[in-house]
Amino acid sequence: MAFFLFLLLVAVVLGLIGTVAQGLMYLLIIGIVLVVADLAYVGVRWSRRSHHHLLR
């Protein structure tokens, strides 16, 4: 969970720098890619966790 929050924080900071600074649009794109990768990572972990519960 800490890894998720750290990547989300980095993505937000890169996105802010990319929008504020002139000519650093690639930082905004990197921030968006990080958010998408982070959400995919959490989605995979969440779906993997839900399959391990066995009903009795």
Side-chain angles (χ1 to χ4, degrees):
M1 190 66 176
F3 184 66
F4 168 74
L5 292 175
F6 175 71
L7 277 181
L8 194 60
L9 179 67
V10 168
V12 168
V13 169
L14 285 176
L16 285 174
I17 292 171
T19 55
V20 172
Q22 191 87 17
L24 294 178
M25 186 62 86
Y26 65 91
L27 288 179
L28 177 62
I29 294 170
I30 291 172
I32 291 170
V33 169
L34 272 177
V35 167
V36 170
D38 201 22
L39 291 176
Y41 173 74
V42 168
V44 166
R45 283 188 53 130
W46 187 50
S47 69
R48 202 181 311 161
R49 185 178 297 165
S50 66
H51 290 285
H52 289 290
H53 296 289
L54 298 174
L55 296 175
R56 293 181 182 213

